[in-house]
Amino acid sequence: MREEQKAKIVEDLVKGKNILITGSYGLGKSTLAQELMHELACQEKFVVFYFPFPKPPKLILIKAIEKLCLRGLNPPSGWKFSSLYQLCEIIIKYINGSPFNLVLFLDEAQIITENAIQVYSELLNSGKVQFVLCGHSPAFDEKFSSLKFKYFFNAFTVYKIEPLSYSEAKTFLDSCLKERKLNLDENTKTKLLLQAGGNLANIIRGLDQISQGEEPNVYTSQNSTNLFPLFIFLIFVIIGLKYLYRGVGDYALANFSGFLGLVLFFIIRYFYFWRK
């Protein structure tokens, strides 16, 4: 799955580049990152480390040093109480004298902070520490409004993950069915794949629903309709009519408009709160 894209990313990492993997929720960014990590771990040139979040930076640095200790790093006593930049110095000093690079895989990169950026920039400037960051692409727009974020991410090669093709999604579904020891008829498979829209998380959620004896219902946001703006528009129309009828002296219609507003309010409450 995504073999061509994965091969290009590995090639870039071998060249010493930093990678930013973006895409909508559920498309398999984390899965791709973990596959890359396992592939790099087989190469002597790399020491790889995965953390599910890009913060807190101190914990990540400590875990990275512990990983390097398995490759011969002997940090000074009391090193865990060092400052962030002292921890960076420990990593950089060891890595610069080693034949391998340290590759940090950090997930959920859209929540990265400026403080973390400053720390990671120290590692980035060493040339021997590489990053593979994964995050939701819409959320990165806000990050790029800051010059500090722009400067940091300019050092990254961006790979945008697209939804799986139908055949790729079918292959993924078949592997999940084999792993879960489930059997589905072709109609149910087709229904689930069409609803999922190439989204791995939706396929998994659909299988969870089927396992619980439910019908799969995992339409992607592209296939669903957001009725909330329509509800808001109707409320304003009803309020406008209420005051219009009151202004012309038709109090019966004004009261009826108010009644419709209350009904619509409770409908919204039902769909957006109680049904959850």
Side-chain angles (χ1 to χ4, degrees):
M1 190 169 61
R2 306 191 193 278
E3 294 301 322
E4 184 177 346
Q5 197 167 36
K6 186 163 60 176
K8 289 181 180 178
I9 295 175
V10 170
E11 183 180 345
D12 282 343
L13 288 170
V14 171
K15 293 177 181 178
K17 295 182 179 180
N18 301 284
I19 304 298
L20 174 60
I21 301 174
T22 70
S24 301
Y25 168 78
L27 293 182
K29 299 181 296 295
S30 300
T31 301
L32 176 60
Q34 291 177 13
E35 290 176 357
L36 289 167
M37 184 180 67
H38 291 309
E39 189 162 335
L40 291 182
C42 299
Q43 301 186 27
E44 287 294 324
K45 182 180 178 180
F46 298 105
V47 173
V48 297
F49 169 72
Y50 174 83
F51 201 77
F53 300 101
K55 60 181 185 179
K58 185 162 188 176
L59 177 60
I60 292 171
L61 294 178
I62 289 174
K63 293 294 184 181
I65 290 174
E66 290 176 346
K67 183 80 172 183
L68 291 174
C69 287
L70 300 176
R71 297 292 293 266
L73 171 61
N74 186 21
S77 60
W79 63 272
K80 288 187 178 180
F81 301 100
S82 302
S83 68
L84 288 170
Y85 293 100
Q86 287 173 331
L87 293 173
C88 287
E89 286 178 8
I90 292 173
I91 293 174
I92 293 170
K93 184 177 179 180
Y94 177 70
I95 285 293
N96 284 340
S98 303
F100 48 77
N101 285 12
L102 173 64
V103 184
L104 299 177
F105 286 79
L106 304 181
D107 215 338
E108 302 296 338
Q110 71 276 359
I111 64 171
I112 199 168
T113 61
E114 288 194 10
N115 179 48
I117 288 288
Q118 292 173 355
V119 174
Y120 299 147
S121 294
E122 292 291 320
L123 298 176
L124 204 63
N125 293 334
S126 71
K128 293 275 288 181
V129 180
Q130 297 170 247
F131 286 85
V132 177
L133 302 181
C134 303
H136 305 328
S137 50
F140 275 113
D141 296 338
E142 298 178 8
K143 298 293 183 184
F144 289 139
S145 62
S146 167
L147 290 177
K148 292 180 180 179
F149 285 107
K150 284 183 179 179
Y151 178 78
F152 180 74
F153 285 114
N154 278 341
F156 284 74
T157 300
V158 180
Y159 283 87
K160 186 172 182 180
I161 302 300
E162 301 293 344
L164 294 176
S165 66
Y166 185 87
S167 60
E168 289 174 329
K170 189 174 186 302
T171 301
F172 177 74
L173 174 59
D174 290 338
S175 66
C176 290
L177 291 173
K178 184 177 180 181
E179 182 179 338
R180 295 177 180 226
K181 298 180 180 178
L182 288 175
N183 291 316
L184 296 182
D185 59 74
E186 290 301 319
N187 288 336
T188 305
K189 284 185 183 180
T190 302
K191 179 180 179 181
L192 176 55
L193 290 172
L194 291 176
Q195 287 185 7
N199 188 299
L200 275 67
N202 283 347
I203 293 175
I204 293 172
R205 189 164 74 249
L207 290 176
D208 290 339
Q209 293 172 348
I210 292 171
S211 299
Q212 296 170 6
E214 303 173 4
E215 282 291 316
N217 183 16
V218 293
Y219 282 106
T220 59
S221 58
Q222 291 89 345
N223 295 329
S224 60
T225 302
N226 183 8
L227 296 178
F228 188 73
L230 178 60
F231 281 133
I232 296 298
F233 174 75
L234 289 175
I235 285 177
F236 278 106
V237 169
I238 290 172
I239 292 173
L241 289 174
K242 177 180 175 64
Y243 283 98
L244 176 64
Y245 290 138
R246 179 180 291 180
V248 298
D250 195 334
Y251 293 101
L253 283 176
N255 292 334
F256 181 68
S257 299
F259 171 74
L260 287 180
L262 285 174
V263 170
L264 191 59
F265 170 76
F266 282 107
I267 290 175
I268 294 172
R269 290 277 300 180
Y270 174 74
F271 277 104
Y272 285 88
F273 295 96
W274 296 337
R275 285 191 64 179
K276 293 181 180 181

